[in-house]
């Protein structure tokens, strides 16, 4: 019965209030008087942050309250009815809009009900999905912080007609739904009074600054960490054996992999002059890999220097083969380490070679000179003649045999010289291979240090 009675008085009140009411004019009794509008913004959710187009999409609750001089009543006259709820299009509403709106849809605000109190106070709560322009600074992406402004003000009324007052010193974040990508560090509100060049009247507005901090875990595990792991593969190309034929292929493959990641970052970043931090890291890493591939090609040329190449310069022998090889623990070509078992095998092989040389020396000594050989043959022939009475023809045959031994000795000396030259040329090629191996190890550690310091540098800048 009480609700029916209130409903009856509400209909009576509505008909009497809006009998001669017009929502086209400001509801003030004195036209020179300023109408104060209290504004409060509640951030409910961040819908999207489009870094490439620099647009922030947010879900807001906008509360506006003002006093209407023509919508007042005596609540005792209407059985204590102190408030009614009516459609917002029936009353005058301030034309407060988002100045930095970046949406193609210019539709009117949501036509929700307003709460009308007996003293003329009107409270209008309207939800809105806003798309505002936001200057995005991606210099430290993905460890960046952004500040996006939401500026609200009247579109046609100046400050002498409608004044905007902050309800709170900041936006309301009590009902904010946590975002997966961004952290909210505050939403301070500042009132500004601006005089534009077109008009002499002041135009007040309220600017809410949304302070955002990006959650970088997603980008660390999907963009930064794979890049760091791939960049550590570049120095390992120097450790790869030159005879495998895959040194250059490894560098090119790593370069292509980093190019793919850089394209992924470029797709989500705005085309501005500010290169993001991760983009700088990609460029530096790609430059380093390009340099390592070029150095690998040069070192492979040194490795494949043959017998026709010039000997290793003396300074290279001293600096590279004597000192640097010991610093970087580079062994002879074909060796990786020296173990006690290997040393015993080397000693046994050397002892065997010495025995063979002694045996060869004992056999070779009678043939060392031509005169010794001829004297030996003459002695043998003389003994043979004394024993069996051989005639002068046998002596001539022995002389011919001595000339055959001379030719044989010349051939042996020629073969020995060829073997000696072959060993010298082979030693020359081995020296160049060792130089290439030492340079490989040197550049491997240099590039490892570069990758490490680059990774520490990007993490330090992010912190």
């Amino acid at each position: 019965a009480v609700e029916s009675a209130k409903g009856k008085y509400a209909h009576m009140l509505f008909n009497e209030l809006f009998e001669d009411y017009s929502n086209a004019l400001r509801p003030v009794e004195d036209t020179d008087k300023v109408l104060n509008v209290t504004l409060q913004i509640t951030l409910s959710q961040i819908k999207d942050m489009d870094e490439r187009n620099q647009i922030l999409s947010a879900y807001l609750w906008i509360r506006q309250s003002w006093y209407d001089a023509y919508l007042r009543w005596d609540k005792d006259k209407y059985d204590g009815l102190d408030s009614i709820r009516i459609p917002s299009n029936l009353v005058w509403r301030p034309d407060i809009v988002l100045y930095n709106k970046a949406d193609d849809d210019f539709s009117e605000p949501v036509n929700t009900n307003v709460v009308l109190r007996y003293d003329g106070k009107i409270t209008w709560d309207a939800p809105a999905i806003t798309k505002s322009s936001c200057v995005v600074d991606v210099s430290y992406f993905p460890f960046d912080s952004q500040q996006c402004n939401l500026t609200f003000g009247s579109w046609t009324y100046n400050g002498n007609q409608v004044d905007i007052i902050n309800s709170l010193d900041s936006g309301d974040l009590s009902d904010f739904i946590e975002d997966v990508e961004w952290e909210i560090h505050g939403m301070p509100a500042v009132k500004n009074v601006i005089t534009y060049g077109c008009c002499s009247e002041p135009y007040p507005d309220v600017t809410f600054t949304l302070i955002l901090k990006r959650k970088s875990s997603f980008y660390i595990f999907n963009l930064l960490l794979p890049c760091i792991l791939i960049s550590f593969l570049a120095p390992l190309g120097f450790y790869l054996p030159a005879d495998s034929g895959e040194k250059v292929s490894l560098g090119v493959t790593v370069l292509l992999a980093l190019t793919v990641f850089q394209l992924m970052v470029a797709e989500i970043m705005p085309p501005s002059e500010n290169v993001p931090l991760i983009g700088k890291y990609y460029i530096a890493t790609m430059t380093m890999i390009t340099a390592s591939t070029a150095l690998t090609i040069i070192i492979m040329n040194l490795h494949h220097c043959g017998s026709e190449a010039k000997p290793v310069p003396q300074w290279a022998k001293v600096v590279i083969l004597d000192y640097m090889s010991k610093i970087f623990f580079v062994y002879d070509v074909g060796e990786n380490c020296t173990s006690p078992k290997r040393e015993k095998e080397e000693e046994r092989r050397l002892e065997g070679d010495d025995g063979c040389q002694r045996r060869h020396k004992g056999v070779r000594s009678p043939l060392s000179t031509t005169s010794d050989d001829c004297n030996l043959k003459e002695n043998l022939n003389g003994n043979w003649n004394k024993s069996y009475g051989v005639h002068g023809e046998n002596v001539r045959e022995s002389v011919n045999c001595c000339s055959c031994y001379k030719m044989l000795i010349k051939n042996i000396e020629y073969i020995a010289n060829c073997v000696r030259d072959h060993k010298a040329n082979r030693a020359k090629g081995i020296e160049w291979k060792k130089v290439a191996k030492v340079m490989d190890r040197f550049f491997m550690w240099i590039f490892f240090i570069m990758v490490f310091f680059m990774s520490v540098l990007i993490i330090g800048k992010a912190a």
Side-chain angles (χ1 to χ4, degrees), residues 62 104 184 189 198 203 246 273 316 351-352 362 368 391 456:
I62 303 175
D104 296 334
I184 305 298
C198 64
Y203 283 84
E246 298 294 332
E273 295 182 356
E351 290 177 358
S368 59
H391 298 285
V456 172

Side-chain angles (χ1 to χ4, degrees), residues 159-325:
N160 298 325
Q161 297 170 336
V162 174
D163 190 15
I164 303 177
I165 301 174
N166 297 337
S167 176
L168 300 172
D169 293 335
S170 65
D172 187 7
L173 301 176
S174 59
D175 296 320
F176 177 72
I177 300 174
E178 291 294 333
D179 190 72
V180 295
E181 185 179 0
W182 297 95
E183 296 177 356
I184 305 298
H185 287 186
M187 192 177 178
V190 177
K191 180 181 177 180
N192 303 308
V193 179
I194 302 175
T195 302
Y196 296 97
C198 64
C199 312
S200 59
E201 297 84 1
Y203 283 84
D205 62 66
V206 177
T207 300
F208 295 87
T209 303
L210 189 59
I211 302 174
L212 303 174
K213 173 67 176 177
R214 191 190 300 272
K215 297 179 181 179
S216 57
S217 301
F218 175 81
Y219 298 98
I220 288 175
F221 286 101
N222 291 277
L223 291 179
L224 186 59
L225 188 60
C227 174
I228 293 176
L229 295 178
I230 291 174
S231 61
F232 272 101
L233 290 177
L236 292 178
F238 292 106
Y239 193 75
L240 198 65
D243 295 331
S244 64
E246 298 294 332
K247 293 171 72 69
V248 179
S249 301
L250 179 62
V252 174
T253 304
V254 172
L255 187 62
L256 292 176
L258 287 177
T259 304
V260 172
F261 281 100
Q262 187 185 18
L263 291 176
M264 293 175 60
V265 174
E267 288 179 356
I268 61 177
M269 291 293 101
S272 63
E273 295 182 356
N274 294 330
V275 181
L277 185 63
I278 189 172
K280 295 178 181 179
Y281 181 72
Y282 283 162
I283 293 173
T285 305
M286 292 171 65
T287 304
M288 183 192 68
I289 293 174
T290 303
S292 67
T293 306
L295 290 173
T296 300
I297 295 174
I298 296 174
I299 292 173
M300 287 184 67
N301 286 329
L302 294 177
H303 177 83
H304 292 286
C305 285
S307 59
E308 294 82 5
K310 296 180 179 179
V312 178
Q314 186 62 33
W315 65 268
K317 289 183 179 179
V318 175
V319 176
I320 299 177
L321 297 181
D322 293 342
Y323 292 100
M324 293 179 64
S325 61

Side-chain angles (χ1 to χ4, degrees), residues 65-132:
S65 59
W66 64 95
Y67 286 89
D68 195 320
Y70 301 107
L71 297 177
R72 298 175 182 175
W73 70 89
D74 186 4
K75 63 180 180 178
D76 295 332
K77 183 179 178 181
Y78 296 94
D79 195 24
L81 185 62
D82 59 351
S83 65
I84 58 174
R85 287 162 177 80
I86 58 176
S88 60
N89 58 351
L90 297 178
V91 300
W92 177 90
R93 295 177 301 184
D95 57 346
I96 294 178
V97 296
L98 180 64
Y99 280 177
N100 56 335
K101 186 177 181 181
D103 192 4
D104 296 334
D105 187 10
F106 290 97
S107 60
E108 296 181 355
V110 179
N111 191 18
T112 58
N113 290 340
V114 297
V115 179
L116 176 60
R117 289 177 53 86
Y118 68 95
D119 56 353
K121 182 179 181 181
I122 298 177
T123 302
W124 181 26
D125 291 328
I129 296 178
T130 61
K131 290 185 178 181
S132 59

Side-chain angles (χ1 to χ4, degrees), residues 426-445:
R426 185 171 177 271
K428 188 192 305 182
I430 290 175
E431 285 184 346
W432 280 115
K433 288 182 178 181
K434 189 172 182 180
V435 169
K437 191 173 181 180
V438 173
M439 297 306 296
D440 267 336
R441 296 292 175 84
F442 171 72
F443 286 117
M444 182 187 72
W445 288 111

